[in-house]
């Protein structure tokens, strides 16, 4: 009888761990996209409608059995949507400037109650007519998802990834507006 109780305890513990761990999902485009704020929409007229995303590199696809990651395609789409929200997005063929973003690192915790993800991205703004770098900036941004944000660890890590990416894109747009080509 004692073995049966041990077996039942082991199986129920394994089921509980599996239920609490969940499957990892990638950072969503919506979660990484910057909302409209006065600081984001304060770009100079010279940049309005003149910026398109050329490339995003360095992202990692999510393995559902492991941890959430930030993929290049998702980050690219979130960056493009954020530029549109800021009034900076132009057409891919006619914009004056092209942005290339290289995700240098996404530092994630292995586990924890509060999970802080720190993301570093190198941005280059290239003038289309000369194909030269008109402005370059490396942005590092942390974001902490707390236990109250999501009980399941994989979900909390995804939220931290999205928050770090969103903060990174917001900082990039604010710096571009203040110090980029055409800034005052």
């Amino acid at each position: 009888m004692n073995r049966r109780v041990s077996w039942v305890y082991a199986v129920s513990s394994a089921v509980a761990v599996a239920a609490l761990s969940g499957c990892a999902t990638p950072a969503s485009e919506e979660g990484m996209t910057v909302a409209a704020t006065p600081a984001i929409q304060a770009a100079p007229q010279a940049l309005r409608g003149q910026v398109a995303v050329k490339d995003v590199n360095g992202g990692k696809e999510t393995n559902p059995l492991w941890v959430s990651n930030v993929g290049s395609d998702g980050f690219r789409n979130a960056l493009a949507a954020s530029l549109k929200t800021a009034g900076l997005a132009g057409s891919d063929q006619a914009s004056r400037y092209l942005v290339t973003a290289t995700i240098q690192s996404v530092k994630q915790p292995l586990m924890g109650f509060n999970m802080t993800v720190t993301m570093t991205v190198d941005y280059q703004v290239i003038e289309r007519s000369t194909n030269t770098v008109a402005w370059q900036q490396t942005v590092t941004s942390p974001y902490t998802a707390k236990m109250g944000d999501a009980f399941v660890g994989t979900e909390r890590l995804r939220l931290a990834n999205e928050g770090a990416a969103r903060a990174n894109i917001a900082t990039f747009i604010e710096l571009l507006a203040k110090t980029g080509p055409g800034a005052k």
Side-chain angles (χ1 to χ4, degrees):
M1 189 79 165
N2 207 3
R3 280 185 169 182
R4 185 167 187 234
V5 171
S6 295
W7 182 81
V8 169
Y9 178 74
V11 169
S12 60
S13 294
V15 169
V17 167
L20 289 176
S21 64
C23 291
T25 57
S28 71
E29 294 170 20
E30 297 81 18
M32 293 187 286
T33 300
V34 177
T37 66
I40 294 296
Q41 295 177 320
Q45 193 62 35
L47 288 176
R48 297 219 166 266
Q50 294 299 315
V51 183
V53 180
K54 180 180 179 186
D55 291 315
V56 172
N57 302 301
K60 293 181 183 175
E61 296 306 314
T62 296
N63 177 344
L65 300 176
W66 190 231
V67 296
S68 175
N69 281 309
V70 177
S72 294
D73 289 340
F75 189 83
R76 181 193 193 290
N77 293 338
L79 178 58
S82 299
L83 288 168
K84 184 175 182 179
T85 298
L88 301 179
S91 72
D92 290 343
Q93 294 77 27
S95 61
R96 182 175 178 186
Y97 300 103
L98 300 172
V99 176
T100 300
T102 303
I103 300 171
Q104 300 291 327
S105 67
V106 179
K107 295 180 182 171
Q108 303 172 318
L110 293 176
M111 63 180 76
F113 291 112
N114 296 333
M115 293 188 178
T116 300
V117 170
T118 302
M119 181 177 211
T120 301
V121 180
D122 181 54
Y123 295 94
Q124 289 187 342
V125 177
I126 301 162
E127 188 157 8
R128 182 189 296 272
S129 64
T130 62
N131 202 31
T132 59
V133 176
W135 186 80
Q136 182 172 353
Q137 186 72 45
T138 300
V139 177
T140 299
S141 57
Y143 184 86
T144 301
K146 298 181 178 172
M147 184 70 156
D149 296 333
F151 181 71
V152 178
T154 55
E155 182 73 9
R156 202 163 47 254
L157 182 59
R158 180 186 60 80
L159 293 174
N161 283 338
E162 290 173 356
R166 189 173 53 251
N168 199 284
I169 293 170
T171 301
F172 161 69
I173 292 173
E174 289 171 14
L175 289 171
L176 179 62
K178 290 177 186 173
T179 66
K184 298 172 188 169

